[in-house]
Amino acid sequence: ELHAELARDILKVRQRELQYYTNNILNIGLQASLLSGFAFAIIASHESRSVLRWIDNIDAGDHPFVILDFDELDKDLPLVEQQMQVLLELFYLTSTISAMGSTLYTLYICLI
């Protein structure tokens, strides 16, 4: 009888532990989905007037290159400011996409 009671207590502890970890993973998944939704909203609402004109794809044989074409930028600003604007915007978009990807990966891991 003592062994049976001990086995029941161990099962209760294991059940509570499983419930604890399940709740934690669900909370992490909820936060990841919320953050990925924010990242998607940022990317969807981003309006760059000429970010696609800044990037030209040049195919040089087997090695494709991506260069920034600064001829299409605003003529009112100095070239250094235009280049900084382009690089900061590309960094902003890259970091937002990376954040969205990592939160979606976290959500995927939580759902497995």
Side-chain angles (χ1 to χ4, degrees):
E1 184 177 313
L2 185 61
H3 290 289
E5 187 176 335
L6 180 64
R8 277 193 300 260
D9 289 342
I10 289 174
L11 284 176
K12 286 180 184 179
V13 168
R14 286 186 179 175
Q15 182 181 6
R16 286 188 209 148
E17 183 181 14
L18 181 63
Q19 187 176 12
Y20 172 76
Y21 285 121
T22 304
N23 286 337
N24 283 345
I25 288 176
L26 288 175
N27 287 335
I28 291 171
L30 177 67
Q31 292 170 6
S33 64
L34 186 66
L35 290 174
S36 65
F38 287 148
F40 178 76
I42 289 171
I43 292 171
S45 67
H46 179 76
E47 292 184 19
S48 176
R49 51 197 160 86
S50 59
V51 74
L52 295 177
R53 290 186 298 170
W54 294 338
I55 301 174
D56 286 337
N57 290 321
I58 296 177
D59 188 13
D62 295 334
H63 307 290
F65 293 99
V66 175
I67 63 167
L68 296 175
D69 184 15
F70 292 104
D71 295 333
E72 297 291 331
L73 296 174
D74 293 333
K75 303 300 180 191
D76 299 336
L77 294 174
L79 184 62
V80 175
E81 289 183 20
Q82 293 174 6
Q83 292 172 343
M84 187 58 80
Q85 180 183 5
V86 170
L87 294 177
L88 286 176
E89 185 166 1
L90 288 176
F91 176 72
Y92 165 74
L93 290 174
T94 304
S95 62
T96 305
I97 290 169
S98 299
M100 183 177 172
S102 61
T103 55
L104 287 176
Y105 178 72
T106 303
L107 184 61
Y108 171 74
I109 293 298
C110 288
L111 293 177
I112 289 181

